[in-house]
């Protein structure tokens, strides 16, 4: 087993390799392999895996690529993520990808799928519509069709039609992945100083551009390092949940600033897609695609992208804060992100009603200045310590 | 201008005014009349279905645009921002929420009734969903019916998508409507209304397509937004709507015969200098000023995408009384903002050619990602495919902070100069 610092460094490198060289190298080893890029938030990667593919998360260019062409495609009042993605597509970053999936989370992502089609990027590019009806025989059927379309798209490229066993095997691997990630968060809930929020971020994000088998190994190693061994030093920090950063990612400097300002981030929605399904997907069924459908319909986490009547996300956020024993919430959303920002007043109200303190700010993925945010988070931390 | 006095009101305008007054009166008396009220959206609306249960529809976007035109939107938006809505998000939502927080007074000065049903026919815009989640919290306990309209991502409507929608109608929407209205669903009544819908739709298409003539007898954007009013909102499927569109079409025919140009607030446009296709909604807070910049320069909009957000009837769709639920589903999926970006580009290209346009202009709306995200690519594609000069301006629907008259005027003047230059060059070449 490698030492933890090496693992973290490796994860940082994979997480921010905007050329996705690891995935491309993996594909080059076997002519029937495919790589399929997907945008935030959630996509059932199991089906790509079962079809001899790798689903690679495209989380934007962050502050690691200069945006020139992308700005010519987007007005100033549109969030930053799509301009970085189109820049990568127009450069050579996404060459070698076989297809692209644009999950239905907002109209920017939706229209970006059309831009990819017009620019003829990939052998297929698909807007992946989620049902907003949560009955198995209505929304579920619709979702099943959506999943089958993608399997057809992949088959048209590599002629692989996954068997029931293939699909069940892939589901098992991703179940394991989700369980390991939850264990990591559980350890951090108890001992947040053992692995910083930034390190956790690297480890989770790396999982979007390597195989699930490799990622599981990394997670197991990391857990072995931190579950029973001390690391770092406990500080007099408050404990916060960060909410609203599920799509355009905050710059690393921002995550660092929050922790440096005295807030342990003990839960967040940065890599929400990897943690979307709560609990296991049935991994031993006759109809594994249907198992994925049921998991989406019955066990999705709460999110700004899902219609929540009957199961309000405000309540679910409050439950999360309580379960994680957090002191407060930091609402941190990308500027111009309609889904996150339109949810914010209601989420704040739920926190107020539950007596949970909160602050909020907005960012761009390439924000370079964190002084104000650090001060805000510092004051938040101080006030909670003072009044707790 | 042939006439710079106050525009003469045509009979169709008077009719529409009367229809609206009656509608809002009825709404203000809904409780006394024992009528149930349904809040819903314009794109992908189920007006005939609502009316077939004798319920009254309210469209929050229409309230927002009316607030914009009556200069009330800024205060409402501020109210919503005070309770935590970001400056960055759709101003229609904020305006509507602000209006509700302020007593929900409608455009005629009368209070709008609270909803008995929130019908989220979620077509072509993701924000609708967020909007209704917020409404649901403003009106706790009010039943919500969700109709999810799949996007035309493959550039067509697939059978399984229709099936999905029909199932939602049958198992979700109609049972909720029966429960709220206390009435049984009546398919024959719905079908009968759809016959009226199709009649109105035929007439509207004739009106809109009259702008293919050179010169055009109508402005299909600034006046077009009035023409689409009844059919996009509470009147589709009614006898009154058929009467309105008959009257409107007669008037347009009279204009054609008399060789008259489009009506503007200052009389008839005397000379048509530039024919434009426009993409994007208009600005409502400064609607008249905005329009004036165009007609002062002899620029007329021959067709627009905005007038298709409540249905792309010019592409041939008609409500079909022999298949009411399927046809409602196809209607929802066919609305302009539910078309994929490649479909939008194809449609605009077709418009530029069929309407003999001199230019293509985008009014990019800060609020509206559904329209705006991707517009710069649309612009490049249209320029490449048609060769007409393209123009780009930015404003907002109902937030006056984002309407800069001087900026827009400057940009448009330069654009019109460019169009002029091109005309000179083309005439020399011919
Ligand atoms: S950051 Fe928000 S608005 Fe932008 S693409 Fe992501 S979800 Fe959509
Ligand atoms: S984003 Fe656009 S279509 Fe959606 S509610 Fe706002 S203005 Fe309407």
């Amino acid at each position: 087993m490698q030492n933890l610092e090496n693992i973290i460094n490796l994860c940082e490198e994979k997480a921010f390799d905007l050329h996705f060289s690891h995935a491309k190298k993996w594909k080059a080893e076997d002519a029937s392999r495919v790589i399929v890029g997907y945008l935030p938030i959630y996509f059932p990667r199991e089906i790509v895996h079962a079809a001899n593919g790798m689903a690679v998360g495209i989380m934007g260019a962050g502050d690691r690529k200069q945006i020139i062409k992308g700005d010519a495609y987007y007005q100033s009042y549109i969030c930053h993520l799509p301009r970085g993605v189109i820049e990568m597509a127009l450069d050579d970053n996404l060459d070698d990808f076989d297809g692209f999936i644009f999950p239905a989370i907002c109209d920017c992502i939706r229209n970006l799928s059309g831009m990819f089609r017009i620019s003829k990027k990939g052998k297929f590019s698909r807007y992946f519509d989620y049902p907003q009806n949560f009955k198995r025989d209505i929304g579920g059927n619709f979702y099943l069709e959506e999943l089958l379309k993608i399997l057809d798209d992949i088959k048209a490229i590599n002629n692989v039609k996954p068997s029931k066993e293939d699909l069940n095997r892939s589901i098992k691997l991703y179940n394991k992945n989700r369980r390991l990630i939850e264990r990591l968060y559980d350890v951090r809930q108890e001992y947040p100083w053992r692995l910083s929020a930034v390190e956790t971020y690297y480890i989770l994000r790396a999982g979007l551009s390597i195989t699930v088998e490799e990622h599981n190994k990394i997670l197991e190693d990391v857990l072995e390092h931190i579950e029973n061994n001390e690391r770092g030093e406990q500080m007099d920090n408050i404990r916060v949940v960060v909410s609203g950063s599920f799509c355009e990612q905050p710059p690393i400097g921002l995550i660092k600033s929050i922790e440096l300002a005295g807030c342990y981030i003990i839960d967040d929605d940065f890599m929400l897609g990897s943690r979307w399904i709560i609990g296991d997907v049935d991994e031993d069924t006759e109809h594994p695609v249907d198992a994925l459908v049921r998991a989406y319909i019955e066990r999705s986490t709460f999110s700004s992208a899902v219609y929540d009547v009957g199961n309000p996300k405000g309540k679910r956020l409050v439950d999360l804060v309580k379960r994680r024993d957090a002191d407060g919430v930091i609402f941190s959303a990308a500027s111009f992100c309609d889904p996150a920002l339109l949810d914010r007043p209601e989420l704040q109200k739920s926190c107020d009603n539950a007596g949970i303190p909160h602050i909020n700010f907005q960012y761009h993925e390439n924000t370079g200045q964190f002084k104000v945010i650090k001060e805000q988070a510092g004051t938040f931390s101080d006030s909670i310590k003072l009044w707790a | 201008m042939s006439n710079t006095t106050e525009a003469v009101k045509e009979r169709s305008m008077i009719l529409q005014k009367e229809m609206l007054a009656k509608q809002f009166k009825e709404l203000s008396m809904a409780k006394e009349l024992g009528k149930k009220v349904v809040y819903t959206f314009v794109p992908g609306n189920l007006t005939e279905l609502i009316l077939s249960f004798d319920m009254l529809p309210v469209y929050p976007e229409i309230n927002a645009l009316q607030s914009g035109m009556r200069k009330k939107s800024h205060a409402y938006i501020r109210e919503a921002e005070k309770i935590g809505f970001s400056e960055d998000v759709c101003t229609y939502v904020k305006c509507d929420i602000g209006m509700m927080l302020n007593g929900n007074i409608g455009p005629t000065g009368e209070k709008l009734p609270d909803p008995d049903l929130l019908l989220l026919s979620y077509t072509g815009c993701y924000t609708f969903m967020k909007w209704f989640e917020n409404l649901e919290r403003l009106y706790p306990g009010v039943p919500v019916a969700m109709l999810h309209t799949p996007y035309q991502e493959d550039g067509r409507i697939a059978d399984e998508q229709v099936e999905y929608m029909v199932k939602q109608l049958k198992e979700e929407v109609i049972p909720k409507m029966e429960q709220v209205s206390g009435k049984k669903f009546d398919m024959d009544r719905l079908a009968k209304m759809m016959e009226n819908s199709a009649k109105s739709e035929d007439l509207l298409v004739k009106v809109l397509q009259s702008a293919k003539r050179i010169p055009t007898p109508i402005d299909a954007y600034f006046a077009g937004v009035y023409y689409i009013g009844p059919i996009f909102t509470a009147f589709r499927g009614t006898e009154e709507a058929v009467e309105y569109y008959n009257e409107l079409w007669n008037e347009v025919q009279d204009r054609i015969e008399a060789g008259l140009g489009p009506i503007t607030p200052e009389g008839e446009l005397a000379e048509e200098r530039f024919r434009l296709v426009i993409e994007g909604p208009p600005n409502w807070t400064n609607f008249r000023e905005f329009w004036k910049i165009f007609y002062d320069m002899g620029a007329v909009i021959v067709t627009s995408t905005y007038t298709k957000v409540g249905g792309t009837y010019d592409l041939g769709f008609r409500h079909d009384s022999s298949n009411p639920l399927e046809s409602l589903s196809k209607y929802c999926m066919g609305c302009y903002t539910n078309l994929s970006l490649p479909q939008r580009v194809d449609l605009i290209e077709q418009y530029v050619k069929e309407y003999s346009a001199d230019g293509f202009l985008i009014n990019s709306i800060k609020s509206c990602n559904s329209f705006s995200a991707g517009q710069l690519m649309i612009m490049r594609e249209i320029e490449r495919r048609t060769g007409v000069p393209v123009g780009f301006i930015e404003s907002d629907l109902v937030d006056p902070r984002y309407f800069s008259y001087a900026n827009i005027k400057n940009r448009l003047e330069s654009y019109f100069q460019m169009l002029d230059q091109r005309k000179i060059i083309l005439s020399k070449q011919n």
Side-chain angles (χ1 to χ4, degrees):
Chain A
M1 188 171 61
Q2 291 207 44
N3 78 39
L4 188 52
E5 269 58 39
N6 284 350
I7 298 176
I8 291 166
N9 288 340
L10 182 88
C11 286
E12 180 182 3
E13 185 200 312
K14 303 286 176 224
F16 292 105
D17 174 9
L18 297 184
H19 279 92
F20 306 95
S21 28
H22 188 91
K24 289 176 185 169
K25 193 163 155 264
W26 175 86
K27 177 184 160 174
E29 286 163 11
D30 175 345
S32 73
R33 285 180 176 173
V34 293
I35 44 180
V36 177
Y38 68 95
L39 279 278
I41 310 174
Y42 167 69
F43 171 67
R45 294 177 283 173
E46 290 88 338
I47 57 166
V48 176
H49 183 271
N52 207 14
M54 192 199 297
V56 174
I58 301 172
M59 305 300 283
D63 53 0
R64 303 188 183 226
K65 186 171 172 66
Q66 204 193 349
I67 305 302
I68 301 157
K69 299 174 206 123
D71 281 340
Y73 280 100
Y74 283 100
Q75 299 90 319
S76 55
Y77 46 78
I78 287 179
C79 64
H80 210 270
L81 174 121
R83 56 192 89 219
V85 175
I86 201 82
E87 183 92 18
M88 289 199 281
L90 296 174
D91 287 351
D92 61 353
N93 300 55
L94 305 179
D95 289 1
D96 258 7
F97 276 61
D98 295 278
F100 299 95
I101 310 278
F102 298 84
I105 62 165
C106 75
D107 297 326
C108 290
I109 297 270
R110 185 195 71 178
N111 292 359
L112 183 62
S113 72
M115 291 170 75
F116 267 58
R117 283 204 175 196
I118 290 173
S119 321
K120 303 203 169 22
K121 291 288 156 194
K123 298 186 185 87
F124 71 90
S125 71
R126 207 167 262 296
Y127 175 70
F128 188 65
D129 211 352
Y130 290 103
Q132 299 290 357
N133 172 296
F134 298 96
K135 290 196 173 146
R136 171 60 193 84
D137 66 327
I138 307 181
N141 280 352
F142 173 77
Y143 187 52
L144 186 72
E145 294 289 341
E146 289 291 292
L147 292 175
L148 295 178
K149 274 192 230 166
I150 290 173
L151 282 171
D152 286 346
D153 285 336
I154 298 176
K155 183 167 177 277
I157 298 169
N158 65 1
N159 206 22
V160 174
K161 185 172 191 291
S163 65
K164 178 184 81 185
E165 290 73 25
D166 295 332
L167 284 157
N168 276 330
R169 197 176 71 86
S170 302
I171 291 174
K172 249 180 221 140
L173 284 165
Y174 279 96
N175 276 342
K176 183 173 176 188
N177 189 258
R178 281 183 285 265
R179 282 199 299 263
L180 290 168
I181 291 174
E182 279 327 290
R183 253 171 74 195
L184 194 71
Y185 273 81
D186 288 346
V187 176
R188 292 199 70 253
Q189 177 180 356
E190 290 286 313
Y191 313 103
W193 53 91
R194 290 189 187 170
L195 196 68
S196 74
V198 170
E199 290 166 337
T200 311
Y201 182 87
Y202 293 152
I203 293 164
L204 258 72
R205 183 155 169 179
L208 306 189
S209 50
I210 59 178
T211 65
V212 64
E213 293 87 343
E214 290 166 317
H215 196 227
N216 285 348
K217 173 80 177 74
I218 287 176
L219 290 165
E220 280 170 337
D221 289 352
V222 171
L223 281 164
E224 189 149 350
H225 279 293
I226 62 166
E227 253 175 347
N228 298 309
N229 301 309
E230 262 317 331
R231 178 173 179 262
E233 212 175 296
Q234 183 173 4
M235 315 275 277
D236 181 24
N237 285 358
I238 62 158
R239 303 151 57 81
V240 299
V241 170
V242 172
S243 170
S245 308
F246 47 80
C247 179
E248 180 173 323
Q249 294 293 294
I252 288 298
L254 189 148
I255 305 176
K256 249 186 211 154
S257 301
I258 295 175
E259 283 213 323
L260 285 175
C263 307
Y264 283 131
I265 301 173
I266 47 140
D267 214 318
D268 59 75
D269 53 9
F270 303 142
M271 294 295 130
L272 191 62
S274 309
R275 309 170 62 202
W276 187 274
I277 302 294
I278 299 172
D280 283 351
V281 179
D282 287 344
E283 55 185 33
D284 200 9
T285 65
E286 288 300 306
H287 302 288
V289 182
D290 190 56
L292 288 167
V293 169
R294 283 182 191 281
Y296 178 79
I297 289 204
E298 291 160 12
R299 288 209 303 282
S300 285
T301 184
F302 65 99
S303 147
S304 294
V306 180
Y307 183 56
D308 78 347
V309 167
N311 196 2
K313 42 189 108 59
K315 181 183 169 300
R316 295 177 79 178
L317 176 63
V318 168
D319 288 347
L320 175 68
V321 171
K322 289 186 179 153
R323 184 163 61 80
R324 290 286 183 210
D325 195 20
D327 302 300
V329 175
I330 294 185
F331 291 102
S332 155
S335 295
F336 303 107
C337 177
D338 263 21
L341 294 170
L342 281 165
D343 267 350
R344 209 172 58 186
E346 191 52 38
L347 295 176
Q348 287 177 334
K349 206 163 128 202
S350 301
C351 286
D352 287 339
N353 292 342
I356 298 167
H358 52 86
I359 52 167
N360 72 73
F361 42 73
Q362 288 175 215
Y363 61 84
H364 286 294
E365 59 183 3
N366 62 347
T367 304
Q369 294 292 331
F370 308 108
K371 199 166 162 275
V372 177
I373 288 173
K374 200 171 163 192
E375 277 169 15
Q376 221 182 324
T379 315
F380 186 55
S381 162
D382 291 345
S383 67
I384 287 180
K385 278 189 250 171
L386 195 63
W387 303 113
Chain B
M1 285 311 122
S2 60
N3 171 7
T4 50
T5 58
E6 192 52 24
V8 190
K9 288 251 184 298
E10 303 217 303
R11 206 177 96 78
S12 66
M13 291 186 204
I14 297 166
L15 258 180
Q16 184 169 159
K17 233 179 147 185
E18 286 169 2
M19 285 157 77
L20 284 171
K22 189 171 150 237
Q23 181 204 358
F24 281 99
K25 186 88 216 148
E26 228 181 343
L27 277 172
S28 70
M29 295 172 59
K31 299 286 170 250
E32 290 93 311
L33 296 170
K35 292 219 167 179
K36 300 292 180 190
V37 175
V38 182
Y39 282 21
T40 193
F41 290 113
V42 170
N45 68 62
L46 306 178
T47 299
E48 297 90 344
L49 190 63
I50 298 171
L51 297 178
S52 80
F53 282 98
D54 288 317
M55 298 193 283
L56 300 174
V58 169
Y59 304 90
E61 310 111 295
I62 304 291
N63 297 336
L65 83 82
Q66 294 274 4
S67 303
M69 283 184 131
R70 288 175 301 123
K71 311 272 182 217
K72 296 202 161 157
S73 53
H74 192 192
Y76 290 156
I77 290 167
R78 279 228 179 101
E79 285 291 321
E81 288 176 357
K82 258 194 244 158
I83 64 160
F85 284 95
S86 162
E87 206 181 295
D88 289 357
V89 302
C90 171
T91 51
Y92 259 12
V93 183
K94 286 188 286 186
C95 180
D96 184 45
I97 288 177
M99 181 176 123
M100 286 177 194
L101 295 173
N102 264 277
N104 215 13
I105 306 300
T108 51
E110 282 156 314
K111 186 180 177 329
L112 287 170
D114 288 352
D116 297 293
L117 175 68
L118 295 168
L119 170 60
L120 172 47
S121 57
Y122 153 53
T123 296
C125 163
Y126 197 84
T127 300
F128 284 154
M129 194 174 93
K130 313 307 298 173
W131 192 339
F132 258 45
E133 283 177 352
N134 277 285
L135 286 194
E136 196 240 345
R137 277 142 203 162
L138 277 173
Y139 298 106
V142 172
V144 186
M146 150 69 103
L147 177 67
H148 172 213
T149 302
Y151 185 57
Q152 283 204 42
E153 69 117 11
D154 264 335
R156 64 187 180 91
I157 296 172
D159 290 346
E160 66 268 14
Q161 293 178 323
V162 178
E163 205 180 297
Y164 171 49
M165 289 202 70
V166 169
K167 236 176 164 178
Q168 292 181 78
L169 286 169
K170 282 188 181 155
E171 294 181 31
E172 290 283 325
V173 177
I174 292 175
K176 286 240 169 79
M177 288 187 165
E178 287 182 326
Q179 180 203 324
V180 168
S181 69
K183 294 195 170 151
K184 274 236 82 53
F185 171 54
D186 182 346
M187 185 75 95
D188 293 338
R189 191 168 179 206
L190 178 66
K192 186 93 201 79
M193 286 186 171
M194 286 195 171
E195 284 170 18
N196 282 335
S197 307
K199 281 184 207 158
S200 298
E201 288 154 7
D202 279 340
L203 291 161
L204 173 71
V205 170
K206 284 185 186 164
V207 169
L208 293 178
Q209 292 191 338
S210 71
K212 287 184 183 172
R213 297 174 161 270
I214 302 176
T216 166
I218 62 159
D219 183 291
Y221 185 58
F222 294 106
V225 298
Y226 292 99
Y227 302 155
I228 57 175
I231 214 167
F232 276 22
T233 60
F235 301 97
R236 203 181 57 221
T238 64
E239 302 278 348
E240 289 157 292
V242 180
E243 189 193 340
Y244 167 80
Y245 284 105
N246 258 317
E247 186 57 39
L248 179 65
W249 174 229
N250 287 338
E251 285 165 11
V252 172
Q253 280 174 299
D254 290 347
R255 304 187 71 74
I256 294 170
E257 252 167 55
L260 297 173
I263 303 173
T264 77
E266 295 181 40
E268 263 128 31
L269 186 78
E271 189 200 353
E272 173 184 292
R273 292 183 60 216
F274 308 113
R275 297 169 62 83
L276 303 179
V277 173
I278 194 164
E279 145 84 10
N283 160 274
W284 301 114
T285 52
N286 300 65
F287 186 78
R288 283 287 174 93
E289 272 174 279
F290 189 34
W291 188 354
K292 188 170 163 53
I293 305 175
F294 287 82
Y295 63 72
D296 277 353
M297 295 297 295
V300 57
I301 313 298
V302 285
T303 192
S304 64
T305 54
Y306 179 66
T307 48
K308 315 296 155 42
V309 285
T312 45
Y313 302 113
D314 57 339
L315 295 182
F317 173 82
R318 295 289 177 276
H319 281 85
D320 176 5
S321 59
S322 64
N323 252 329
L325 299 184
E326 285 76 4
S327 116
L328 277 178
S329 308
K330 287 181 184 160
Y331 158 71
C332 292
M333 285 187 274
C335 290
Y336 179 72
T337 43
N338 203 54
L339 304 183
S340 69
L341 217 64
Q343 282 176 294
R344 283 169 64 183
V345 173
D346 290 345
L347 181 63
I348 294 168
E349 179 188 1
Q350 185 188 329
Y351 280 168
V352 169
K353 290 178 178 160
E354 286 181 1
Y355 286 79
S356 318
D358 303 309
F360 170 60
L361 181 69
I362 291 179
N363 181 32
S364 179
I365 293 293
K366 175 192 171 276
S367 271
C368 187
N369 287 344
S370 176
F371 261 104
S372 304
Q375 272 176 336
L376 290 163
M377 184 174 258
I378 293 181
M379 191 169 88
R380 286 163 185 233
E381 280 295 301
I382 295 300
E383 189 172 31
R384 187 179 66 77
R385 293 193 198 178
T386 66
V388 299
V390 294
F392 189 82
I393 49 175
E394 291 179 313
S395 66
D396 189 53
L397 294 157
V398 288
D399 193 336
R401 292 172 293 187
Y402 298 100
F403 183 87
S404 161
Y405 178 76
N407 240 326
I408 289 175
K409 190 159 190 282
N410 276 341
R411 279 206 174 201
L412 283 174
E413 278 173 358
S414 321
Y415 180 57
F416 293 140
Q417 271 170 18
M418 186 160 81
L419 291 177
D420 238 350
Q421 289 297 323
R422 184 165 180 267
K423 278 201 163 179
I424 295 167
I425 293 167
L426 286 179
S427 68
K428 279 189 188 147
Q429 281 171 356
N430 292 333

